[in-house]
């Protein structure tokens, strides 16, 4: 099944890629300074950022927060396997998993399991309560396996775009 959002690749030139590379490191980097780095005017950089936002290339501008600094000390990866893989039940699960703020990432995957979730919680007691809402109260979940992260070695959402960037 192909995700509809992958149906058309955006038409990006080397300037766009360079701008994206900078914004992924610091999305509040001043546009005048971006313009200097990529050798364009600030107005041209502004237009390009607006176009990439309007076209869905830039999905959002967010602050990346250290989970430990806000009391979310435990990162958990959960593999979820369903009894029945009817598309309506899969879509319902996608909606349910997406609605919980503790679920940081949710992937519908191929193979023996159906979903991989990345969850942040302050305590294991919080996770236990969450499992009741997400898994135990859902009769379509055959099993789930929990993996507690010992260390967050690398966490990020940056997409490699520098293959053709002018910032090399």
């Amino acid at each position: 099944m192909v995700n509809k959002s992958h149906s058309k690749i955006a038409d990006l030139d080397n300037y766009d890629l360079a701008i994206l590379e900078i914004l992924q490191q610091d999305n509040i980097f001043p546009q005048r300074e971006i313009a200097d780095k990529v050798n364009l005017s600030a107005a041209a950089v502004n237009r390009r950022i607006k176009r990439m936002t309007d076209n869905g290339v830039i999905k959002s501008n967010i602050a990346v927060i250290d989970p430990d600094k806000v009391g979310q000390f435990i990162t958990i990866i959960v593999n979820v396997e369903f009894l029945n893989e009817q598309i309506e039940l899969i879509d319902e699960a996608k909606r349910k998993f997406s609605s919980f703020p503790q679920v940081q990432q949710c992937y519908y995957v191929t193979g023996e399991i159906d979903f991989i979730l990345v969850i942040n919680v302050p305590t294991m007691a919080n996770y236990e309560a969450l499992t009741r809402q997400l898994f135990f109260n859902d009769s379509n979940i055959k099993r789930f396996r929990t993996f507690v992260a010992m260390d967050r070695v690398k966490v990020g959402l940056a997409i490699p775009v520098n293959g053709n960037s002018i910032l090399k």
Side-chain angles (χ1 to χ4, degrees), residues 26-46:
D26 181 359
N27 76 335
I28 60 170
F29 200 78
Q31 290 184 8
R32 180 175 297 127
E33 292 180 38
I34 296 172
D36 290 342
K37 285 184 175 282
V38 300
N39 201 26
L40 289 172
S41 70
V45 168
N46 183 285

Side-chain angles (χ1 to χ4, degrees), residues 67-68 71-80 97 100-107 113 115-132 134-136 144-155:
D68 291 340
Q72 300 296 312
F73 302 109
I74 302 172
T75 299
I76 298 170
I77 295 90
V78 183
N79 293 352
V80 182
F97 295 152
F100 281 80
Q102 300 91 329
V103 177
Q104 298 298 295
Q105 297 175 45
C106 175
Y107 300 95
I113 59 172
F115 284 89
I116 298 174
L117 307 177
V118 178
I119 295 173
N120 280 93
V121 290
T123 67
M124 287 306 291
N126 291 105
Y127 178 63
E128 181 184 1
L130 185 64
T131 62
R132 294 174 190 277
L134 287 176
F135 311 125
F136 288 117
F144 67 97
R145 292 183 61 196
T146 298
F147 303 89
V148 178
M150 294 174 56
D151 188 13
R152 295 178 198 102
V153 178
K154 180 181 180 187
V155 178

